[in-house]
Amino acid sequence: EAGVTQFPSHSVIEKGQTVTLRCDPISGHDNLYWYRRVMGKEIKFLLHFVKESKQDESGMPNNRFLAERTGGTYSTLKVQPAELEDSGVYFCASSQGTSHNYGYTFGSGTRLTVV
Amino acid sequence: SQQGEEDPQALSIQEGENATMNCSYKTSINNLQWYRQNSGRGLVHLILIRSNEREKHSGRLRVTLDTSKKSSSLLITASRAADTASYFCAVGGNTPLVFGKGTRLSVIA
């Protein structure tokens, strides 16, 4: 079974530019999550999809971040325009169900550096 | 906040020794999960312990949960250099997993 795939693995962009991160979850996993870890800090929740619907987007920092999950398959996270504080590692995870009963399978992350 | 908080922040041991990491949380939970992250990689799910369980084993891993103290511990026995990683606890329930800052474990060969 293929795992969770994230692309790109690294991205270096200038402040003000746009970046789009992609996540391909495990096939059949309805639940998809985005998390972010800023250097030395905790892994923070961004948002949760159930199929194509946003179940919880309480962790999205501001309206410069836009997440989509077209057709309930892969997901994209766009940052526009990027700011220096957006630098960090963005993780995607998927699961068969919610954290009430299931663990998550994570991708390797996208390391975003905004300069 | 449901956020788990790991202790210690960093731990360095010799290969073959046991490593113990602790996690505390603040609210009632449905379950508590432990994850490992190797440098540059994603998080790997290690074990899930439910609120009505007190202890769980998986290979060289032993997890305990004390809901009265709102704490959990992860014990890695007979550690190996390959166990070097960051370990995170996460609180599970009706909301997405909430992670702490992790414990950085270094196992020296």
Side-chain angles (χ1 to χ4, degrees):
Chain A
E1 167 181 87
V4 176
T5 305
Q6 291 187 246
F7 182 83
S9 57
H10 295 81
S11 180
V12 180
I13 62 172
E14 292 185 351
K15 176 182 173 181
Q17 288 186 322
T18 297
V19 63
T20 300
L21 314 180
R22 172 168 170 149
C23 169
D24 287 74
I26 290 175
S27 178
H29 280 192
D30 289 340
N31 292 270
L32 186 149
Y33 308 85
W34 284 98
Y35 284 82
R36 175 175 71 174
R37 189 179 193 199
V38 174
M39 182 67 74
K41 298 192 175 181
E42 69 271 22
I43 299 169
K44 295 198 73 173
F45 166 77
L46 296 178
L47 89 160
H48 170 206
F49 282 100
V50 176
K51 297 185 179 179
E52 69 276 9
S53 300
K54 292 176 185 175
Q55 184 76 13
D56 182 347
E57 52 183 329
S58 60
M60 295 287 264
N62 52 60
N63 59 10
R64 295 185 295 103
F65 288 74
L66 175 64
E68 295 180 323
R69 191 181 182 193
T70 307
T73 55
Y74 70 90
S75 175
T76 58
L77 179 64
K78 181 162 69 175
V79 185
Q80 178 183 30
E83 298 289 344
L84 298 178
E85 63 265 25
D86 300 332
S87 296
V89 182
Y90 290 77
F91 291 104
C92 174
S94 71
S95 67
Q96 290 178 289
T98 67
S99 71
H100 200 80
N101 290 302
Y102 294 90
Y104 297 175
T105 301
F106 280 81
S108 296
T110 293
R111 180 173 295 277
L112 175 64
T113 303
V114 183
V115 298
Chain B
S1 166
Q2 285 185 294
Q3 180 178 333
E5 295 187 9
E6 296 87 348
D7 171 63
Q9 291 185 2
L11 179 62
S12 184
I13 60 173
Q14 296 288 325
E15 200 167 33
E17 293 181 336
N18 295 342
T20 300
M21 290 160 270
N22 303 298
C23 170
S24 60
Y25 56 93
K26 295 181 179 178
T27 64
S28 59
I29 62 171
N30 173 268
N31 64 71
L32 190 135
Q33 304 181 25
W34 284 91
Y35 289 77
R36 181 187 73 230
Q37 184 191 16
N38 292 89
S39 182
R41 309 290 291 274
L43 286 81
V44 175
H45 180 255
L46 297 176
I47 201 162
L48 182 155
I49 185 166
R50 300 193 183 281
S51 59
N52 60 353
E53 297 176 308
R54 291 297 166 258
E55 187 172 310
K56 205 163 184 179
H57 297 255
S58 177
R60 293 184 296 111
L61 306 181
R62 172 179 169 246
V63 169
T64 61
L65 179 64
D66 187 336
T67 53
S68 66
K69 296 181 179 178
K70 291 186 167 56
S71 67
S72 173
S73 67
L74 170 66
L75 168 68
I76 304 174
T77 60
S79 64
R80 305 166 182 169
D83 295 327
T84 294
S86 291
Y87 291 82
F88 296 87
C89 67
V91 173
N94 294 322
T95 61
L97 287 177
V98 182
F99 290 88
K101 295 183 181 181
T103 292
R104 176 68 190 170
L105 173 66
S106 298
V107 181
I108 303 166

